[in-house]
Amino acid sequence: MLKFMMFIVFLLPLCFINMGYWMVQNLLFVITFIFIFSNFCSNMFVNMSYFLGEDMLSYGLILLSLWICSLMLMASESTYKYNNYVNLFLLNVVMLLLLLYLTFSSMNLFLFYFFFESSLIPTLFLILGWGYQPERLQAGIYLLFYTLLVSLPMLIGIFYLYKNSMTMNFYMLSNQLFNYELLYYVMILAFLVKMPMFLVHLWLPKAHVEAPVSGSMILAGIMLKLGGYGLLRVMSFLQNFGIKYNFIWVSISLVGGFLVSLICLRQTDLKSLIAYSSVAHMGIVLAGLMTMTYWGLCGSYTLMIAHGLCSSGLFCLANISYERLGSRSLLINKGLLNFMPSMTLWWFLLSSANMAAPPTLNLLGEITLLNSIVSWSWVSMLMLSMISFFSAAYTLYLYAYSQHGKLFSGVYSFSMGSIREYLLLFLHWFPLNLLIMKSDMCLLWL
C-alpha cells in the first residue's frame, strides 16, 4: 500500500511544472489502473505495511477516490483555460487524494481519525479559492464548524478505547465489545454529520452550491462516503448499543429522506437539487447500515459506491450547462434539448441512474437496502415507499424541467459538448453500469 502512497507523493512536485496539467491527470489514471490490477479479492486485510492495509471495504473506496480525482481534473478545464492559479489547484487536488487514500487505507483508528479530519482542509481551500459566489466564506465556515464540533468528542472516545483495549488496530478492536453508552454516541456522531444525516445536513447543500465543479464532485463522490466508511468500521465493536439505540438513527434517516425529497421538488438551482438528492440517498444508506444486518451493510456499501459515481456525474452535467449559460437556475436552464441535443442523452442516463433504474449499481444497492430495512421493521415500508416514489419524482422534475420547454430567449450561442465532456460523462456512467456485472465485490466483502 505504501507504493501507491509514494506514487501520489511524487505527483506533488509535478504540479508545479508549466503546462503539466494533463500530465498529472494522465498519471492519476495510470495509478488508478495499476490499483485495479493490484487487487486481491480477500475479506482480510492484505497488502499490509506498518500502518496501511486494505480489505475489500477500503479497496472500493480507494478506487472511487482515485477515479473521481482523475475526473475532477478533467472536469475543471476552465481553471486550466483561464489559468486560475492552476498549479495550486493541482496541488490541492493531489493533496486531497493523498489524504483520502491514507484515510481509507489506515488500519489504525487514530490515524484514520487524523486523516479523516485533515481531508477537510484541502476541501475548504477548494471552496474558498475556486468557488463561484461571495457566500463561499460562509459555506466554508459551515463545513468546518459542523464537522469539527462533533469530531472532538470522537477524539476523546478514541483515547478512551485505547486506554481500555490497549490497541487501535481495526482488526483487533473488532473482537471487542464495549459497555459504555457515551462512547457509542461520541464515536458515531462525527460520522453522522459527515454522512450527512437529516437535521445535521445543512452544511452540505451550502457547500455544494458555493463549490467549484471539482469541489462538488469530491464532496458528493468521496466526502459523504467517509461517514459511511467510518460507521462500517466502528459498528463492529459497538454492537451492544447498536442493537439498543440504532432505531433512533434509522427513524431520523427515513423520515428525513422523505422530507428532503419534498425539499428537492421546490429547488430552482440545479446544484442545490442534486445536493439535496444526495442527502436523501445517504439517508437510506444510513438507515440500512444501522440495521446491522448482512444485507444492510453490503447494500449501504454498494449504494455509497454507486452514488459517488452518479452524483458526481450529475454535478458535471450541471457545470457543463453553467459554463454555457452562465447560470444554474432552472428558469434559465430549460429547453436544453434544443440547445445541446446530444447532452440530453447523458442527462437521461445519469438521471435514470439517480432514480435507481436497471442496470445501474444504484438499483442493486437500493434493492438490498429496501430488503434489509423492511426485514428490520415492516413499519418502515411506509417511509421507504414515499422515498422511492419521490426520488423518481424529483429526478424527473430535474430532467424534464432542464431538457424540455421553450429555450430561454437570452441564449444565442449554439454550442455542443466537447469530446472532453463526453468522455468525462462516459467515465462516470460506464463503471456505474459495468459494476453490476461484478456485484460480488460489493456484496461479498463482509
Side-chain angles (χ1 to χ4, degrees):
M1 293 307 282
L2 214 55
K3 54 184 178 285
F4 294 110
M5 190 189 97
M6 293 317 290
F7 193 117
I8 302 172
V9 168
F10 284 122
L11 276 182
L12 291 172
L14 292 184
C15 299
F16 292 104
I17 295 178
N18 282 337
M19 314 295 282
Y21 189 84
W22 299 117
M23 180 179 69
V24 172
Q25 194 239 1
N26 288 329
L27 283 170
L28 281 181
F29 272 122
V30 168
I31 187 179
T32 309
F33 287 114
I34 297 174
F35 188 74
I36 292 175
F37 295 131
S38 81
N39 172 34
F40 305 105
C41 271
S42 150
N43 320 3
M44 269 54 90
F45 278 101
V46 290
N47 282 347
M48 299 236 260
S49 62
Y50 275 119
F51 68 108
L52 299 177
E54 58 162 11
D55 56 355
M56 283 310 292
L57 175 56
S58 36
Y59 174 75
L61 287 162
I62 291 173
L63 190 53
L64 186 67
S65 309
L66 289 165
W67 194 245
I68 297 281
C69 283
S70 316
L71 294 178
M72 274 163 67
L73 295 182
M74 196 186 270
S76 309
E77 198 237 2
S78 61
T79 308
Y80 174 70
K81 194 165 68 180
Y82 299 122
N83 199 8
N84 185 5
Y85 296 102
V86 66
N87 300 43
L88 290 174
F89 176 75
L90 271 179
L91 182 73
N92 215 356
V93 172
V94 178
M95 274 304 295
L96 185 53
L97 175 61
L98 181 64
L99 288 170
L100 285 171
Y101 176 80
L102 289 168
T103 309
F104 289 131
S105 56
S106 286
M107 293 182 61
N108 182 309
L109 184 57
F110 175 71
L111 283 171
F112 164 70
Y113 170 84
F114 177 74
F115 293 125
F116 171 82
E117 289 306 323
S118 312
S119 61
L120 204 66
I121 300 166
T123 318
L124 187 71
F125 283 154
L126 268 180
I127 293 175
L128 292 183
W130 289 270
Y132 293 132
Q133 278 91 5
E135 286 101 51
R136 58 180 187 246
L137 192 65
Q138 189 191 357
I141 287 172
Y142 262 51
L143 172 79
L144 210 59
F145 275 82
Y146 262 96
T147 29
L148 284 184
L149 183 71
V150 288
S151 299
L152 287 172
M154 185 188 162
L155 185 61
I156 300 164
I158 290 174
F159 290 150
Y160 173 83
L161 278 180
Y162 183 60
K163 180 172 158 287
N164 277 32
S165 56
M166 294 311 288
T167 179
M168 289 229 157
N169 195 309
F170 284 127
Y171 205 72
M172 304 290 184
L173 280 173
S174 58
N175 304 326
Q176 313 222 2
L177 285 176
F178 293 91
N179 211 3
Y180 186 40
E181 305 202 357
L182 194 60
L183 178 72
Y184 170 77
Y185 284 110
V186 297
M187 291 304 285
I188 291 223
L189 259 159
F191 299 130
L192 293 181
V193 172
K194 207 64 162 175
M195 281 283 290
M197 183 180 70
F198 183 69
L199 298 180
V200 282
H201 68 285
L202 268 179
W203 63 271
L204 184 81
K206 194 97 185 135
H208 268 308
V209 170
E210 306 301 327
V213 59
S214 51
S216 281
M217 284 169 71
I218 200 78
L219 267 173
I222 320 289
M223 288 304 180
L224 305 190
K225 315 301 173 273
L226 282 171
Y229 172 79
L231 283 174
L232 286 169
R233 283 276 188 241
V234 299
M235 261 306 161
S236 59
F237 54 84
L238 297 173
Q239 289 172 18
N240 283 351
F241 291 110
I243 292 163
K244 246 163 60 186
Y245 296 122
N246 273 358
F247 73 94
I248 306 172
W249 316 121
V250 180
S251 331
I252 293 179
S253 301
L254 289 175
V255 175
F258 167 57
L259 293 174
V260 167
S261 303
L262 291 180
I263 294 175
C264 277
L265 281 172
R266 50 184 311 271
Q267 294 299 320
T268 51
D269 185 325
L270 279 174
K271 253 193 179 177
S272 184
L273 200 159
I274 303 166
Y276 274 109
S277 84
S278 311
V279 180
H281 283 303
M282 292 321 270
I284 305 179
V285 167
L286 184 59
L289 202 155
M290 287 297 186
T291 58
M292 294 206 307
T293 52
Y294 184 89
W295 278 70
L297 295 176
C298 293
S300 59
Y301 174 62
T302 311
L303 194 57
M304 281 198 297
I305 302 266
H307 173 265
L309 288 163
C310 166
S311 193
S312 173
L314 281 167
F315 278 116
C316 289
L317 275 167
N319 183 63
I320 288 169
S321 303
Y322 176 73
E323 282 178 354
R324 304 281 185 283
L325 304 171
S327 165
R328 288 192 315 252
S329 165
L330 272 171
L331 305 171
I332 292 177
N333 282 285
K334 59 185 182 187
L336 291 182
L337 183 55
N338 307 319
F339 183 55
M340 311 167 72
S342 46
M343 209 46 97
T344 303
L345 172 68
W346 290 108
W347 273 102
F348 170 72
L349 290 173
L350 284 161
S351 299
S352 57
N354 198 37
M355 59 184 183
T360 51
L361 198 59
N362 297 59
L363 178 76
L364 179 72
E366 290 210 10
I367 287 177
T368 319
L369 286 170
L370 289 176
N371 205 334
S372 71
I373 298 169
V374 171
S375 69
W376 176 77
S377 158
W378 60 268
V379 185
S380 58
M381 284 170 86
L382 175 67
M383 276 304 158
L384 280 172
S385 55
M386 288 295 191
I387 291 175
S388 299
F389 174 75
F390 281 106
S391 131
Y394 64 69
T395 309
L396 282 170
Y397 161 73
L398 169 69
Y399 176 74
Y401 260 63
S402 61
Q403 301 310 307
H404 297 303
K406 194 177 175 192
L407 196 61
F408 171 60
S409 57
V411 179
Y412 287 127
S413 66
F414 185 87
S415 155
M416 297 305 295
S418 60
I419 292 178
R420 173 186 61 86
E421 288 165 342
Y422 292 130
L423 178 64
L424 172 67
L425 294 168
F426 176 76
L427 291 177
H428 276 112
W429 174 83
F430 184 65
L432 195 58
N433 290 271
L434 192 72
L435 280 172
I436 194 103
M437 303 291 197
K438 190 92 185 76
S439 53
D440 50 346
M441 268 182 58
C442 299
L443 293 180
L444 300 178
W445 58 267
L446 203 54

